[in-house]
């Protein structure tokens, strides 16, 4: 259903009936990935080094509860005993992935009832990627298999304390590229999003639905803007969480107002600098100095709450201007008009001047 033709009061129904992945597909995928998880654990000898699988963590939109109907992404991060450092991870992945690929191809012959399997070209080094698709081809999931160094370690008694500062100082001293080791922090990323209320996740789905409509519009095709130059959808997830934290913080709110707020922030993208201190902060001198440099990057800056090297805003790379132009032109659509015909207004907090805080920072010039 087209978002712009949906009345503001019907947005909850739109999310419930059209944006959540189908229950049948979700159940089938859960069973398939469970079998793959078991196969990976049982075949612990994945190469000449014979490493054991410490644990396997699910990530991506699928694990964060922000998967959109039609297509979404997922990660299976395989923490291996043979990786004792980021260096081990970099040098040992090729051999390990070769052994995993053999297992994956065998499993992929019969992934589960109602699913088809297809290996994909990896979008990044050190990753195996495949697609699971429903029999009717209306739903699909791109899954990344990633062997990784278990830098966080397994939590004791289910308790997940804040990472020690040396976790991040060692990351910074590894000489990594921005976000290169983001998968090592998948659990923190997943916990950060999953701790939010269901209504906020529904707003995230609505924002991603708007984003998917922008990606498919004729204006993008006629202007020649490649989809690959748009910001990653995870950046919009974080922006939505920030908007809710600064402007609402309630379990019940109007989706139209929440969406209006996020799009207003997208319009102001050149003024945005957002980060969270939930997992890292300025207490450690090395990490603190790095953060200060990160916050001086070209706007927008949106730092991943799990990995401070990963700037999802990346103002020098992504075409936020394309999203901002669409946001500016859509506020007279039905989805932003209340029953009385009055235009929906954004939450006050996120679109006014802010000062540094523990949840995040937004600078307005």
């Amino acid at each position: 259903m087209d978002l712009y033709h949906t009345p503001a009061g019907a947005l909850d129904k739109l999310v419930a009936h059209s944006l959540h992945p189908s229950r049948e597909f979700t159940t089938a995928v859960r069973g398939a990935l469970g079998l793959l998880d078991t196969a990976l654990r049982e075949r612990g000898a994945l190469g000449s080094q014979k490493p054991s699988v410490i644990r396997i963590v699910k990530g991506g939109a699928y694990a964060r509860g922000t998967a959109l109907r039609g297509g979404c992404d997922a990660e299976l991060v395989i923490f291996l005993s043979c990786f004792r450092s980021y260096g081990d991870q970099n040098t040992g992945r090729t051999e390990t992935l070769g052994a995993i690929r053999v297992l994956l191809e065998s499993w992929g012959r019969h992934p589960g009832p109602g699913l088809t399997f297809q290996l994909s070209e990896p979008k990044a080094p050190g990753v195996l990627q495949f697609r699971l698709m429903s029999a009717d081809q209306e739903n699909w999931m791109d899954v990344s298999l990633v062997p990784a160094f278990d830098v966080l370690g397994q939590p004791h008694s289910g308790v997940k304390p804040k990472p020690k500062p040396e976790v991040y100082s060692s990351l910074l001293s590894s000489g990594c590229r921005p976000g290169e080791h983001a998968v090592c922090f998948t659990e923190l990323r997943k916990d950060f999003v999953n701790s939010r209320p269901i209504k906020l996740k529904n707003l995230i789905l609505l924002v991603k639905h708007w984003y998917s409509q922008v990606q498919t519009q004729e204006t993008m095709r006629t202007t020649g803007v490649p989809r690959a130059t748009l910001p990653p959808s995870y950046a919009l997830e974080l922006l939505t969480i920030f908007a809710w934290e600064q402007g609402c913080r309630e379990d019940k709110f109007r989706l139209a107002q929440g969406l209006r707020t996020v799009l207003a922030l997208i319009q102001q993208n050149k003024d945005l600098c957002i980060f969270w201190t939930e997992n890292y902060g300025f207490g450690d001198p090395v990490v603190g100095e790095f953060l200060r440099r990160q916050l001086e990057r070209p706007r927008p800056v949106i730092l991943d709450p799990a990995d401070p090297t990963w700037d999802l805003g990346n103002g020098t790379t992504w075409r936020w201007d394309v999203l901002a132009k669409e946001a500016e032109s859509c506020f007279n659509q039905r989805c932003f008009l209340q029953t009385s015909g009055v235009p929906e207004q954004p939450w006050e907090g996120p679109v006014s001047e802010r000062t540094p805080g523990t949840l995040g920072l937004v600078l307005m010039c």
Side-chain angles (χ1 to χ4, degrees), residues 216-256:
T216 57
Q217 281 180 357
E218 182 66 26
T219 52
M220 283 200 65
R221 292 191 288 270
T222 56
T223 57
V225 176
R227 290 177 59 177
T229 63
L230 294 181
S233 61
Y234 177 49
L236 298 186
E237 291 189 29
L238 294 179
L239 187 60
T240 304
I241 291 172
F242 174 78
W244 174 83
E245 285 181 337
Q246 299 296 314
C248 179
R249 285 191 161 271
E250 300 291 337
D251 291 349
K252 295 182 180 180
F253 56 86
R254 297 192 303 278
L255 286 178

